[in-house]
């Protein structure tokens, strides 16, 4: 079943057009990669889909509903969650609290019960704390449960963002370059981790320059170039597409 | 976090003990007066710290809400003959509504723009209190009827000490609860990263408005209490300088620390009393404290000391 439909999407910043007439769709439960050169508009596309930027023209449909221009927090409630290329960690909080914020929607916090510390608030907080610890273990961060986020290494922070995004209990998870900046050891089990998330029934949209990871996990690949769709298809189809080779993969280039 | 909670409870118990024990060592009415003023300022600062320290928003106009509470409560009890306690609550509600009404456009602004907008708001309130002479007595101020609850009149420093002490304790308790709840986490989250807060489902503007209103209501209650305690009120309680005083107390005591706000209020309320010669240079002193804190101890007293302690223990 189709989960996300992007229709005739344009995004301009002033006179500068970043996305042009982009149309594609994403199947529920798939791992859908979006690749393309630097500045192709991948992050901008994520920002539009997750409600951080309104599009200039065009529509975005999620599970059949038109979600164009809805604010990010409302889209999170519908089940769209993401990580960021340039980390967006709550550095003023502990690692566990970062993940707990991800449970915000499930907690449905209210002012009065919180002010008076109603027993139900305490009990549920305790519950979510345990679930947050489990999530941290799932992404391989057991060692950091007691840590302050500001004291964690870069690689661990990338996983912390992933745990926080999972706490939102998304139907669709957008990962913006999860392997960027990681050494091979840190990248290690990222492919299995992504596959395990997908097995839980979460649709994955992956933006990534590490082609080893892209080839390993993707069911479907969309290639962007200068804000336009250059090609689309399975790994094998994209890999041998001459336009893609010319624009991105190159002969013996880094994106082989 | 559990550790947080235990520390908070310990602090709350300590504060209660101090409040209970203090009268034994307070020698005279003058010191009582200083301590009561500390309590009143602390209530404002603890609320303001939720806005500044936890949610990362600024207000340079909170003395306006303090002033509105200080005028509205006596006006309602005097002119309309309402019981003072009811007048105080009604004033708090009115200030809550007013702050809610202005919060939406104001809190869409960020950084300097937010600072300017709240500054302007405070100045407008201050001007209105000065100009509406019919109602407020203008720059000369106005007398305030005594406070009474269930037929009991609140008179004398000792009585007011217990009233303010109880209110302060309640404020600290509620604030510690809030900070340690999912609501408090959401506030800290939007301070840390607004986009990340938004994509995890936090309605950033809504939470900013909530904390702004909450801090305004606390300032209003403190203002009403101050007016009834002092028995006389002038617009000087709602000036820009008073707003800066509150902010300085929060910054000195420590951002995102409830007890920090309390200690900041205590130090900066007591300081001018202790160093009487400084009274003529109060503005200068506060300015110097503000600059000094920002440069040498940007996290403020309590968080910096706590960090030192933790490092020592290790
Ligand atoms: N807020 C903005 N204002 C103006 N221009 C922007 C903004 N955000 C992105 N751009 C521009 O849009 C273009 C696409 O940027 P984007 O970050 O989407 O690329 P990308 O495909 O994610 O690249 P990379 O692989 O380097 O992350 C770039 O030229 C960028 O400068
Ligand atoms: Mg990018």
């Amino acid at each position: 079943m189709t989960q996300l439909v992007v229709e005739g999407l344009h995004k301009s910043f002033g006179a500068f057009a970043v996305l042009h007439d982009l149309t594609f769709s994403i199947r529920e439960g798939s791992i859908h990669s979006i690749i393309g050169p630097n500045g192709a508009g991948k992050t901008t596309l994520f920002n539009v889909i997750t409600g951080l930027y309104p599009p200039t023209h065009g529509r975005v449909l999620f599970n059949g509903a038109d979600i164009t221009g809805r604010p990010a927090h409302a889209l999170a409630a519908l089940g769209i969650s993401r990580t960021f290329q340039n980390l967006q960690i709550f550095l003023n909080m502990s690692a566990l609290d970062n993940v707990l914020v991800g449970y915000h929607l499930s907690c449905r916090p209210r002012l009065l019960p919180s002010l008076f510390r109603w027993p139900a608030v305490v009990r549920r907080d305790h519950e979510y704390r345990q679930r947050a610890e489990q999530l941290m273990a799932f992404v391989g961060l057991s060692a950091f449960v007691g840590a302050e986020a500001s004291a964690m290494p870069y690689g661990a922070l990338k996983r912390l963002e992933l745990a926080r995004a999972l706490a939102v209990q998304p139907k669709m998870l957008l990962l913006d370059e999860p392997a960027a900046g990681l050494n091979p050891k840190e990248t290690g089990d990222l492919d299995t981790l992504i596959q395990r998330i997908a097995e839980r029934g979460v649709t994955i949209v992956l933006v990534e320059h590490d082609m080893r990871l892209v080839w390993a996990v993707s069911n479907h690949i969309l290639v962007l170039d200068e804000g336009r769709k250059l090609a689309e298809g399975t790994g094998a189809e994209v890999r041998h597409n001459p336009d893609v080779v010319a624009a991105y993969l190159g002969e013996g280039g880094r994106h082989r | 976090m559990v550790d947080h909670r235990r520390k908070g409870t310990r602090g709350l118990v300590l504060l209660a003990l101090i409040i209970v024990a203090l009268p034994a060592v307070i020698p005279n009415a003058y010191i009582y007066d200083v301590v009561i003023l500390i309590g009143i300022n602390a209530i404002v600062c603890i609320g303001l710290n939720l806005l500044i320290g936890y949610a990362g928003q600024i207000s340079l106009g909170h003395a306006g809400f303090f002033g509105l509470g200080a005028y509205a409560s006596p006006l309602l009890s005097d002119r309309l003959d309402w019981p003072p306690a009811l007048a105080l609550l009604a004033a708090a509600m009115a200030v809550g509504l007013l702050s809610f009404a202005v919060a939406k456009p104001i809190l869409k602004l960020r950084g300097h723009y937010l600072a300017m907008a709240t500054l302007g708001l405070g100045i407008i309130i201050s001007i209105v209190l000065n100009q509406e002479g019919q109602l407020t007595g203008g720059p000369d101020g106005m007398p305030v009827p005594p406070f009474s609850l269930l037929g009991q009149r609140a008179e004398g420093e000792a009585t007011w000490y217990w009233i303010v002490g109880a209110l302060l304790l309640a404020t600290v308790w509620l604030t510690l609860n809030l900070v340690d709840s999912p609501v408090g986490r959401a506030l800290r989250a939007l301070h840390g990263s607004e986009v990340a807060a938004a994509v995890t489902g936090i309605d950033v503007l809504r939470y900013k408005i909530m904390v702004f209103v909450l801090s305004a209501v606390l300032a209003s209650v403190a203002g009403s209490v101050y007016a009834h305690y002092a028995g006389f009120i002038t617009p000087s309680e709602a000036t820009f300088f008073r707003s800066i005083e509150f902010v300085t107390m929060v910054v000195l005591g420590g951002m995102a620390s409830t007890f920090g706000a309390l200690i900041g209020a205590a130090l900066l309320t007591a300081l001018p009393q202790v160093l009487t010669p400084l009274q003529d240079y109060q503005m200068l002193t506060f300015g110097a404290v503000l600059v000094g804190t920002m440069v040498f101890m940007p996290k403020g007293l309590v968080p910096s000391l706590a960090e030192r302690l933790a490092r020592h223990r290790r």
Side-chain angles (χ1 to χ4, degrees), chain A residues 68-79:
Chain A
T68 320
R70 285 203 213 169
H73 63 89
L75 297 182
L78 287 182

Side-chain angles (χ1 to χ4, degrees), chain B:
Chain B
M1 197 71 188
V2 174
D3 189 42
H4 259 220
R5 190 169 297 171
R6 211 176 313 132
K7 263 186 213 156
T9 314
R10 235 186 282 154
L12 193 67
V13 171
L14 185 64
L15 177 64
L17 289 177
I18 291 174
I19 291 175
V20 170
L22 214 50
V25 294
I26 294 181
N28 53 40
Y30 171 66
I31 302 292
Y32 257 120
D33 182 58
V34 175
V35 174
I36 289 168
L37 291 180
I38 287 175
I40 289 170
N41 284 337
I43 292 171
V44 180
C45 290
I46 288 168
L48 193 56
N49 185 43
L50 284 175
L51 180 74
I52 301 178
Y54 284 98
Q57 309 302 306
I58 184 72
S59 169
L60 299 180
H62 259 53
F65 300 125
F66 184 83
L68 283 179
Y71 275 92
S73 174
L75 279 174
L76 289 172
S77 61
D78 203 28
R79 304 275 162 103
L80 300 183
D81 228 9
W82 287 13
L86 184 66
L88 182 148
L89 289 178
M93 245 162 79
V95 168
L97 285 176
L98 176 81
S99 60
F100 180 75
V102 296
K104 197 162 181 173
I106 284 187
L107 288 164
K108 278 187 182 159
L109 306 172
R110 298 214 170 95
H112 301 340
Y113 298 97
L114 178 63
M116 288 302 167
T118 51
L119 173 69
L121 179 68
I123 289 175
I124 290 169
I125 294 173
S126 167
I127 289 175
V128 169
L129 293 178
N130 266 300
Q131 299 292 316
E132 290 299 314
Q134 293 280 356
L135 211 56
T136 66
D140 297 335
M142 69 176 204
V144 177
F147 192 80
S148 63
L149 189 61
L150 308 171
Q152 289 288 99
R153 255 171 87 158
E155 264 174 328
E157 272 81 9
T159 312
W160 277 104
Y161 174 85
W162 293 114
I163 294 174
V164 172
L167 273 177
L168 176 62
L169 206 56
T171 306
V172 171
W173 180 65
L174 292 173
T175 307
L176 290 174
N177 285 349
L178 186 73
V179 166
D180 192 33
S181 77
V183 174
R185 259 197 319 264
L187 293 177
R188 279 180 292 150
L190 70 90
H191 187 182
S193 162
E194 282 191 22
V195 283
V199 300
T200 49
I202 295 170
D203 186 342
V204 170
L205 185 59
R206 183 169 158 259
Y207 273 84
K208 286 183 184 175
I209 293 172
M210 181 197 281
V211 69
F212 186 76
V213 171
L214 192 64
S215 63
V217 167
L218 275 173
S220 165
V221 170
S224 300
V225 170
Y226 172 78
H228 286 291
Y229 162 67
F232 198 85
I233 178 85
T234 68
S236 69
E237 290 305 324
T239 53
F240 168 60
F241 177 58
R242 194 84 171 95
S243 288
I244 295 297
E245 252 181 45
F246 290 137
V247 172
T248 310
M249 289 169 180
V250 170
V251 171
L252 172 68
M255 302 284 211
S257 161
T258 300
F259 291 106
L262 173 58
I263 285 170
L267 286 177
L268 290 184
T269 310
L271 192 70
Q273 313 288 338
V274 180
L275 306 171
T276 5
L278 278 185
Q279 260 168 359
D280 293 337
Y281 301 100
Q282 205 169 349
M283 222 150 170
L284 204 66
T285 316
F286 273 75
V289 168
L290 197 54
V291 173
T293 314
M294 292 320 277
V295 173
F296 297 110
M297 204 175 43
K299 284 183 180 163
L301 264 179
V302 170
S304 301
L305 288 178
E307 247 170 47
R308 279 252 167 102
L309 261 178
R311 231 179 295 147
H312 254 271
R313 278 206 198 130
R314 240 181 277 144

